[in-house]
Amino acid sequence: MPPRNKPPSAVGTSLWRHRNFRRYLTGQAASVAGSSITQMALPVLAVLHLDATAAQVAWLAFLGQLPPALLALHAGALAERHSKRRQMITGDLVSAAVLVTVPVSAALGTLTLSQLMIVAVVQGAASVLHDAAAISLLPRLVDRSLIQRSNSRVGALFAIAGSHLGAALTAMLGPARALLGDVTSFLISAGCTARIQAREPAPVRPEARRLREEIGEGLRYVHSDEQLRTLTLVNATTSFALGLLNTLWALYLLRTLAVSATVFGVVLGLGALGAAAGALTAPALARRWGPGPMMLTALAITPLTQLPLLLASPGLRWQAAIGAALFLQLACAGAAGTTQRSIRQIITTAGMQARMQAVSTWLTAGARPVAALLAGGLGTWIGVRPTLAAGTFLLFVPLVVLARSPLRALWHMPDRPSAPPGTGGDPVPPPLALRTAPLAVPTPARMEDDRHDRSPGGDAT
């Protein structure tokens, strides 16, 4: 059997001694915590303060999900052309500027539903710019052998930071004033990113090249690499299945199973703890069992965690079973998501990091609105429980995709690749070594493939 142990440098070095990583992690944690406020506050403002109809609330949610599907590929190509840190800071400042208009308008009595929709679109577009650069910056901050552990810390902190802050602040301060918390989080993120001292190579592509050509190059790059193609397809099919399930999940629990708001919050809290636990244990599980078998096992367990939901009836015992199942489901998502993200970052050349990630974000983000529409149609036609059963069945698709690929037998994290011919990418240079002294400044996330979905069963991209 191939060796499964990681090199000593990946096991014994403390990431907390790495100033750039600490700044990166602090900024992105603040950003994700703030996003949980906006996700809660905007719909509450629309319903309670502007008397929005169900259709208007649906449009608000749809417009918020639209920018990743439309702009992810462009944002990834831009991140390869320009400074990733500058693109992250620009996205943060644009988000802060557009969000601060909401509490100001609310205080002046001029807030409208149209303004909320514009804010949702602009802030979503700014976040896409930020995220495309942020996730591709991480491989330049730490040594390759530390990438999985870095993603583990990021995933765990994101799961905890984004859980219930939005609901708490919205309840205490009101939705409009609570948005000031997200504005502050964007400013903290921009400040932390500005203090990251990382060498970024000069763009290797002339500015005269069309953005469309660089987007096509990124699509071809992902398609031509079997490992990248497999992991991207696993992400997209998982996102579609979970998008269908998550559309009706809350409705089913609150209405069919008569779960109280308090119990509902506890169940969500268990899911957040599961996601954090899965992300933190992912490096150790990958070393013990191999990243391929570990991801395969996580994908096999995920559909089984839906059984308590499908078999449940009202009652405390079933509520406890659903909470435990959600903990396990998101633990699997955290472990598999952290590992596959790390593999993609390791095997991708430096000039393709942002575009590789953008392809995954584009496919996963594009799958969610389609899945939501399908869930609404099936829920009306065949009922909520049968629709949830169909979503559970779809969770076997990513399992089959991974099982049919060579990745199923990946016993250790892959090595750094050479640049494929014709891509324009360069071999990955040695990342900045771990150190405590500041580096000279030459000239990131809200993750999400890669922002993490905060809904139950959140996307493991």
Side-chain angles (χ1 to χ4, degrees):
M1 181 177 297
R4 304 181 187 179
N5 294 329
K6 296 294 291 181
S9 62
V11 179
T13 308
S14 173
L15 282 168
W16 305 118
R17 294 173 51 225
H18 195 315
R19 285 188 180 182
N20 282 331
F21 178 73
R22 291 203 310 268
R23 290 165 180 167
Y24 177 93
L25 187 61
T26 301
Q28 304 322 306
S31 184
V32 169
S35 292
S36 72
I37 301 171
T38 297
Q39 291 168 7
M40 176 66 67
L42 286 187
V44 172
L45 272 171
V47 173
L48 298 184
H49 293 259
L50 300 175
D51 297 321
T53 64
Q56 289 170 329
V57 172
W59 269 106
L60 181 63
F62 174 77
L63 290 173
Q65 294 178 352
L66 201 56
L70 296 180
L71 302 177
L73 293 175
H74 299 79
L78 288 173
E80 304 292 6
R81 283 187 172 191
H82 307 291
S83 165
K84 294 177 175 59
R85 292 170 59 248
R86 189 177 298 120
Q87 182 165 319
M88 291 168 65
I89 294 170
T90 299
D92 282 334
L93 295 181
V94 169
S95 292
V98 72
L99 279 176
V100 80
T101 65
V102 177
V104 170
S105 296
L108 296 175
T110 58
L111 184 65
T112 65
L113 190 62
S114 296
Q115 180 181 347
L116 286 187
M117 291 183 177
I118 293 172
V119 166
V121 172
V122 175
Q123 196 268 324
S127 294
V128 171
L129 282 175
H130 177 284
D131 298 345
I135 197 167
S136 59
L137 178 63
L138 180 61
R140 290 200 166 271
L141 300 183
V142 299
D143 185 79
R144 183 186 60 84
S145 63
L146 296 171
I147 284 181
Q148 189 183 23
R149 287 178 55 204
S150 300
N151 279 319
S152 169
R153 305 299 189 273
V154 170
L157 196 54
F158 278 18
I160 296 171
S163 47
H164 298 301
L165 180 62
L169 282 183
T170 300
M172 289 190 298
L173 303 178
R177 286 192 294 271
L179 283 173
L180 293 174
D182 200 8
V183 173
T184 302
S185 79
F186 281 116
L187 297 178
I188 293 173
S189 177
C192 291
T193 303
R195 297 184 64 205
I196 292 175
Q197 298 170 329
R199 290 187 295 270
E200 293 191 61
V204 296
R205 294 168 180 81
E207 294 293 333
R209 286 192 63 183
R210 293 182 179 179
L211 204 63
R212 183 173 60 184
E213 295 176 5
E214 298 185 16
I215 290 172
E217 190 176 73
L219 289 167
R220 290 190 296 272
Y221 179 83
V222 172
H223 183 267
S224 65
D225 188 291
E226 185 174 14
Q227 295 181 92
L228 289 177
R229 185 173 67 245
T230 297
L231 292 175
T232 301
L233 185 57
V234 166
N235 284 346
T237 53
T238 301
S239 182
F240 184 85
L242 292 178
L244 191 149
L245 288 165
N246 293 337
T247 299
L248 301 175
W249 191 85
L251 174 67
Y252 183 69
L253 259 67
L254 295 171
R255 183 171 296 174
T256 304
L257 299 183
V259 171
S260 68
T262 300
V263 172
F264 186 74
V266 171
V267 170
L268 291 178
L270 287 172
L273 290 176
L280 286 174
T281 58
L285 292 173
R287 286 195 303 270
R288 176 67 181 85
W289 303 107
M294 185 268 281
M295 290 190 296
L296 198 64
T297 301
L299 289 175
I301 292 174
T302 299
L304 302 180
T305 62
Q306 298 296 317
L307 292 179
L309 184 71
L310 297 176
L311 299 175
S313 57
L316 184 59
R317 286 185 298 177
W318 280 113
Q319 292 168 2
I322 292 171
L326 184 62
F327 177 94
L328 180 58
Q329 177 189 341
L330 291 191
C332 291
T338 295
T339 303
Q340 64 83 16
R341 185 182 304 114
S342 301
I343 293 172
R344 288 190 289 124
Q345 289 173 333
I346 291 170
I347 66 177
T348 299
T349 55
M352 286 288 178
Q353 284 283 346
R355 282 178 286 174
M356 173 277 296
Q357 179 55 41
V359 172
S360 179
T361 301
W362 173 60
L363 289 174
T364 55
R368 291 169 192 153
V370 176
L373 292 175
L374 180 62
L378 287 177
T380 302
W381 180 37
I382 63 176
V384 174
R385 194 189 294 257
T387 302
L388 292 175
T392 300
F393 179 78
L394 288 176
L395 284 174
F396 286 100
V397 175
L399 172 64
V400 172
V401 171
L402 187 62
R404 290 174 59 86
S405 78
L407 283 170
R408 67 184 181 275
L410 183 66
W411 296 107
H412 51 78
M413 299 300 284
D415 294 327
R416 183 187 305 130
S418 300
T423 63
D426 55 336
V428 180
L432 302 180
L434 212 65
R435 63 190 75 191
T436 55
L439 302 172
V441 182
T443 91
R446 277 176 205 221
M447 291 286 189
E448 275 50 294
D449 116 61
D450 260 46
R451 177 186 303 261
H452 293 275
D453 188 347
R454 297 297 161 200
S455 52
D459 188 14
T461 62

